[in-house]
Amino acid sequence: MMSLTATFLYALLTDRVILLHQLDDMVDLFCEPFPGTTWYLPSDFPIHGLEEHNKDSQNSYGYLIEKNLINTDPNAPPSSLPSSLYLHLMHDMGYDHLHVRFFCDDDQQVISKINWVFLKTNQYFIPGLFLIPKYAEELAQMFPLKETVFHHLGRYLLHPSNVVWDIIMRYHNSYLAKSKEIIGIQVRIFDWAPISTEKSYEQVIKCTQQELILPGVNLNQSQISPSTSTKATTKTVLMVSLYEDIYKRLYNLYFEHPTTTGEMINVYQPSHEEKQQTENKFHNHQAMAEIWLLSFSDVLVTSAGSTFGYVSYGLAGIKPWYLQSSIGSQNIQNPPCYRATSIDPCYQIAPNFNCKTGGAGDRRNIIRHVRQCDDHSVYIYASSIKLFD
């Protein structure tokens, strides 16, 4: 969803039509965003195997530069350029400075003259577009508030299919609609920062209670069902995680003990599939539904570095609390969470490249509204960048 939005913005900036190569795991995820037409490539499109392109493909921009097969003079006439080009903007592009030249002004002058561009990405590369002088003026006019880029584009472009929307509405109407306040909690446990579900639960409790997102409880008292005459405020916690254990612990805490404020806390979890199943269509339907359910939250707590969380708070337009991850440690960080300073997603593995010298360069301090991501402490890669106001 983030890479689709980034590609859409690039198409807008370069006056291109965006067409999407649909794979099986995308079936029935989105409604068509453009009335009267389709954004999917036709099944009889003459070029096959688009998903197999990689950084070594012989029609890639980096390969053509390396082999001196393309004229990179910004004044080169269109007739001297190929009719099509593959742009490799995947997470591994940062190691190849030839592919990274996509983010250089002179190279954009060249690419803009090529009719067909095949772009493959799994990154939110929009902050990189803000570093290209060619697009600076138009981007400034489009987005006076820099951190709202994904919020506006995502809500315009990405619409759940009827299948997904039905899941969203049935769950919302059954569990969330009558709540005074919805608190979304999204927990992702990464392979590179493993933590037990017990420790993860402890971190959620410390964060939400220290930051007054959830009330404390009287552990020495048992919960008494409120009478129909009481006017206790009801808050609803929407727990989204692959794991059931965190939800069960949180549910039991507020089900078994009264809160110190007298509030009633309801805790719900739509699913708990234990492991990610990216190639499973129904798993993707459920995941997308839960992203949208989280976007209905009044307050959001998400795992730092989670793209699932990025999309949720980006669509919601609210700054979340980040649960800090500990690389190589089971210890809970102090503080356990901190507030985000921007609602835009992070370009997690942005290339370090200096267009003038052709060598490595820090792109985090070129312009004041593109800086290191505010959840950067979780990254092994220090090159992450993000839009700020």
Side-chain angles (χ1 to χ4, degrees):
M1 293 168 73
M2 296 193 307
S3 57
L4 265 179
T5 306
T7 305
F8 176 58
L9 179 57
Y10 181 61
L12 288 176
L13 292 171
T14 56
D15 294 322
R16 295 182 183 274
V17 172
I18 182 173
L19 293 170
L20 185 61
H21 178 45
Q22 185 182 31
L23 299 178
D24 292 341
D25 59 359
M26 288 189 63
V27 173
D28 289 333
L29 273 183
F30 300 105
C31 284
E32 293 277 5
F34 310 117
T37 186
T38 180
W39 67 341
Y40 291 117
L41 277 176
S43 58
D44 59 351
F45 189 70
I47 299 177
H48 303 286
L50 291 174
E51 67 276 10
E52 297 172 4
H53 277 79
N54 57 56
K55 65 179 182 178
D56 298 319
S57 296
Q58 294 186 7
N59 65 333
S60 71
Y61 192 50
Y63 181 90
L64 294 176
I65 294 174
E66 181 184 14
K67 302 300 182 182
N68 293 315
L69 297 175
I70 188 170
N71 186 350
T72 56
D73 183 343
N75 297 314
S79 59
S80 68
L81 298 171
S83 60
S84 66
L85 184 69
Y86 167 60
L87 297 174
H88 185 80
L89 302 185
M90 299 291 285
H91 65 278
D92 60 352
M93 70 171 290
Y95 305 112
D96 189 332
H97 285 173
L98 298 180
H99 289 292
V100 169
R101 285 176 55 172
F102 168 84
F103 292 103
C104 297
D105 215 40
D106 286 350
D107 294 83
Q108 277 299 316
Q109 298 285 358
V110 174
I111 296 170
S112 67
K113 301 173 186 178
I114 297 174
N115 287 337
W116 284 89
V117 167
F118 302 99
L119 189 152
K120 184 178 181 181
T121 182
N122 60 357
Q123 293 287 298
Y124 181 72
F125 60 86
I126 284 178
L129 297 178
F130 276 79
L131 297 175
I132 302 174
K134 175 180 173 67
Y135 305 128
E137 183 177 353
E138 187 168 2
L139 286 169
Q141 293 176 350
M142 293 170 70
F143 304 104
L145 296 176
K146 304 297 185 293
E147 66 176 275
T148 62
V149 174
F150 179 81
H151 178 68
H152 290 306
L153 291 181
R155 290 168 69 97
Y156 172 83
L157 183 71
L158 306 172
H159 301 279
S161 67
N162 290 345
V163 174
V164 176
W165 191 247
D166 183 57
I167 299 171
I168 296 168
M169 283 293 95
R170 282 190 286 114
Y171 199 89
H172 178 271
N173 294 339
S174 298
Y175 300 104
L176 307 179
K178 296 182 180 180
S179 179
K180 297 291 184 181
E181 183 178 27
I182 300 173
I183 299 165
I185 300 176
Q186 178 261 338
V187 176
R188 177 64 189 255
I189 298 176
F190 298 98
D191 292 338
W192 46 263
I195 185 174
S196 68
T197 53
E198 180 180 2
K199 285 288 186 180
S200 185
Y201 162 74
E202 291 176 13
Q203 184 179 22
V204 168
I205 288 298
K206 286 184 177 181
C207 169
T208 53
Q209 293 186 355
Q210 286 180 15
E211 303 299 341
L212 305 180
I213 298 168
L214 288 174
V217 298
N218 292 313
L219 294 174
N220 297 324
Q221 297 181 27
S222 298
Q223 181 71 278
I224 301 173
S225 298
S227 66
T228 55
S229 61
T230 61
K231 296 182 179 180
T233 301
T234 299
K235 291 183 177 180
T236 296
V237 175
L238 177 68
M239 169 61 69
V240 172
S241 175
L242 289 171
Y243 313 104
E244 185 182 25
D245 184 57
I246 305 170
Y247 155 74
K248 279 187 172 181
R249 292 172 184 269
L250 194 64
Y251 173 86
N252 289 337
L253 179 71
Y254 285 103
F255 180 76
E256 295 173 358
H257 305 285
T259 63
T260 55
T261 59
E263 296 170 293
M264 296 299 299
I265 307 298
N266 296 323
V267 184
Y268 301 109
Q269 182 179 29
S271 70
H272 44 84
E273 301 191 28
E274 298 303 320
K275 65 178 181 178
Q276 189 168 324
Q277 304 170 50
T278 308
E279 306 304 322
N280 184 318
K281 180 175 72 172
F282 300 106
H283 175 88
N284 289 337
H285 289 173
Q286 184 66 36
M288 188 168 171
E290 291 180 21
I291 285 174
W292 244 271
L293 287 168
L294 281 172
S295 77
F296 299 153
S297 301
D298 300 292
V299 181
L300 262 172
V301 179
T302 70
S303 293
S306 170
T307 54
F308 199 105
Y310 291 166
V311 177
S312 300
Y313 71 69
L315 291 172
I318 59 177
K319 294 174 182 176
W321 293 89
Y322 288 132
L323 295 167
Q324 292 207 68
S325 297
S326 302
I327 299 176
S329 171
Q330 286 278 335
N331 296 326
I332 298 171
Q333 295 286 311
N334 186 24
C337 62
Y338 57 95
R339 193 74 183 271
T341 51
S342 167
I343 65 171
D344 214 53
C346 174
Y347 182 3
Q348 292 184 330
I349 309 177
N352 280 331
F353 185 67
N354 186 312
C355 291
K356 293 181 179 179
T357 66
D362 191 343
R363 300 173 69 83
R364 294 171 295 175
N365 301 298
I366 297 176
I367 53 178
R368 63 182 181 178
H369 50 269
V370 176
R371 304 196 299 273
Q372 188 166 20
C373 295
D374 50 3
D375 60 342
H376 62 86
S377 61
V378 306
Y379 293 114
I380 300 172
Y381 305 96
S383 63
S384 64
I385 54 176
K386 182 174 180 174
L387 291 168
F388 296 84
D389 283 330

